[in-house]
Amino acid sequence: MESSAVFLKRATRHMFFTGKGGVGKTSLSCAVAVALADRGKRVLLVSTDPASNLDEVLGTALSSHPKAIKGVPRLSALNIDPERAARGYRERVVGPYRKVLPKAAVASIEEQLSGACTTEIASFDEFSKLLGDPAETKEFDHVLFDTAPTGHTLRLLELPAAWSGFIESNAGGTSCLGPLSGLKTQQALYAAARQALADSARTTVVLVSWPERTSLEEAERARGELASLSVKHLKLVINGVFKAADSADPIGRALQERGREALGHIPKPLSLLPRMDLPLLSFALVGVESLRGMLLLDAARLQAPAVLVKSSLSRRRTWTFPDLVSALEGLGRGVIMTMGKGGVGKTSVAVSIALDLAKRGRPVRLTTTDPAAHVETVLHGETVRGLKVSCIDPEAETRAYTREVLESSGRGLDKKGRALLEEELRSPCTAEIAVFQAFARAVHEGQDGFVVIDTAPTGHTLLLLDAAEAYHREVSRSMGDIPEAVRRLLPRLRDPWFTHMLLVTLPAATPVHEAAALQKDLKRAGIAPYAWVINQSLTPVETRDPVLVTRKANEGRYIDEACRFSSRVAVVPWLAQDAGANRLNLVYPG
């Protein structure tokens, strides 16, 4: 077991913090950054998460340029802003051609750069500079990356190899990112980023996990995939280890036992990694002083007192889980999407709603857009008449999409034309288009019954929704005709009688504020969420454990805050069981 002092002493120049949503990646990366800066190191902390909350945790408004953090000399931080990066990228590619090529040709390049691929490659470009170009970060001793949840981050870390391979093999000179001559200049940068990722002396990937089964399984999957990318300098941090102060307290005892059982079955390869355990804290890790408490020894750690804020929470203002399902059932059909920050329990809520509706005799399709999904794991093999379960598999969807395009747009092309089309389809962007089409088809099924969609964490999902109109153009270019499912996608997502979005959150600052920001983003897109779900709440349960009592006392203000954002708020109590098919049904039997 590694102590926090040893962990900090062995910090490499680059450190990535990744893991399942909600395990404390941002808190830990911020705490490590603060601790290194307090030890005299010059540190840059970078968020690659499209739904970054570094600003709130550090207490400083950030931008896409390094900004000094108040109260921490030598620490700076920035957010990689996908939209801003995309605008800069477009201008960098198109600018040189404006006075050289005819307007129609420039317009064609701009059209090529209007897709979601450009947003992804632009963010990746910014990330590559920070990792692969030492001149960009020469003012700092350490560059730490607070990343999006696992699936999105693995995609980011795969891109150096994916785009290098595409550029090397592409002979046609064009891509959905514009002329490849522009990308060629980036090839050396991508190669340098690949080398930095694989260099154990320079880069460490910290797998952060909660002491629970699904979180550890996702960390193990990430370990395996990173190994295949030759990223092998890994460490494991178990965050939130709980030891009950009162063995007679049933909630405290159950929480301790759940963690002990999960850690007793930690996957073998994961157990061989250097490991640091951090305890469950009673206080929220928001603000620099709280962050300084995270890596202290128990005896020195600040245990912040409960800040008892008057709460107006009442039974009248909130729903139970059966209240929520009954209201959804009354709508008759349509799409139900669980959305929110990673780790708030979107999957278990989606699975429980799907099961409950199916048990009530409603036909239900349960699926997921999350690359790191674990819907089938949560179901534990349970089957219910009327419930169909599927998963949007990026590899299978890409193969099917490629075959479809070749059979439609490729028909009638000569040998050279078909080779160019095949080359374009090898672009890493093809997977994004294929997944988007599968998402549209899943929504389309909502006209015949209920479709419950478990989505990826906020940032990834927002990019998926933002991509809708862009992919209309992409699909149109590639296939001529837009499939009906894609053509009707946006109107359906905006139809409150067809799509019912549930914002799932925990009763804590960051998840509630991220859900509020998500609601604002959705409203700008013309989409109104149906209800909020406050998951894993201690408020409805009885406990005497001092850590849990303090956490419970602090929940009221955030449940009140959720009630101000929505007239429909369902509160789901914390349960002793890990995520599982029947966890909500055990509390609220039908």
Side-chain angles (χ1 to χ4, degrees), residues 116 369 392 394 397-398 401 429-443 460-461 463-475 482-483 485-490 493:
T369 65
I392 296 176
E397 296 298 341
T398 302
Y401 173 76
C429 302
T430 300
E432 297 288 338
I433 300 168
V435 167
F436 173 76
Q437 288 215 41
F439 169 63
R441 287 196 300 274
V443 170
H460 189 273
T461 300
L463 290 178
L464 184 68
L465 296 178
D466 286 347
E469 291 194 45
Y471 278 127
H472 268 285
R473 293 191 293 271
E474 183 62 41
V475 171
I482 300 174
V486 174
R487 185 171 52 79
R488 298 183 62 183
L489 177 62
L490 276 179
L493 291 177

Side-chain angles (χ1 to χ4, degrees), residues 281-283 289-294 296-305:
L281 301 174
S282 62
F283 54 91
E289 290 311 314
S290 293
L291 293 168
R292 286 192 167 110
M294 188 179 190
L296 293 177
L297 297 175
D298 283 347
R301 182 173 290 110
L302 170 69
Q303 290 292 333

Side-chain angles (χ1 to χ4, degrees), residues 188-234:
L189 180 63
Y190 300 165
R194 286 178 70 183
Q195 289 170 3
L197 278 173
D199 186 347
S200 299
R202 284 189 285 167
T203 301
T204 305
V205 176
V206 181
L207 301 174
V208 188
S209 176
W210 204 250
E212 62 182 22
R213 181 173 47 85
T214 54
S215 178
L216 289 164
E217 288 171 352
E218 188 162 319
E220 169 57 15
R221 282 197 298 274
R223 184 208 59 76
E225 292 194 34
L226 289 167
S228 70
L229 295 171
S230 301
V231 180
K232 296 177 180 175
H233 190 215
L234 309 176

Side-chain angles (χ1 to χ4, degrees), residues 30 46 235 292 326 363 382 414 446 494:
C30 289
V46 179
K235 292 192 176 194
R292 286 192 167 110
S326 295
E382 181 171 348
D414 60 18
R494 289 170 174 160

Side-chain angles (χ1 to χ4, degrees), residues 13 128-138 189 192-193:
R13 174 163 165 71
S128 295
K129 281 184 214 163
L130 296 167
L131 183 63
D133 183 357
E136 286 284 326
T137 56
K138 62 183 179 185
L189 180 63

Side-chain angles (χ1 to χ4, degrees), residues 149-218:
T150 313
H152 188 269
T153 299
L154 287 174
R155 166 81 176 161
L156 182 71
L157 299 184
E158 286 169 356
L159 284 174
W163 276 109
S164 294
F166 180 67
I167 295 168
E168 285 168 8
S169 63
N170 188 300
T174 63
S175 77
C176 53
L177 300 175
L180 276 177
S181 57
L183 282 179
K184 287 276 187 184
T185 61
Q186 301 301 96
Q187 196 168 2
L189 180 63
Y190 300 165
R194 286 178 70 183
Q195 289 170 3
L197 278 173
D199 186 347
S200 299
R202 284 189 285 167
T203 301
T204 305
V205 176
V206 181
L207 301 174
V208 188
S209 176
W210 204 250
E212 62 182 22
R213 181 173 47 85
T214 54
S215 178
L216 289 164
E217 288 171 352
E218 188 162 319

Side-chain angles (χ1 to χ4, degrees), residues 385-407:
R385 182 190 294 271
L387 174 64
K388 296 179 180 176
V389 182
S390 62
C391 175
I392 296 176
D393 178 344
E395 291 186 9
E397 296 298 341
T398 302
R399 286 195 298 273
Y401 173 76
T402 300
R403 189 168 55 247
E404 187 179 349
V405 172
L406 287 174
E407 288 174 357

Side-chain angles (χ1 to χ4, degrees), residues 186 246 252-253 262 277 329 468 510 526 541:
Q186 301 301 96
D246 179 357
R253 195 172 62 242
D277 283 3
E329 183 188 16
T510 301
V541 304

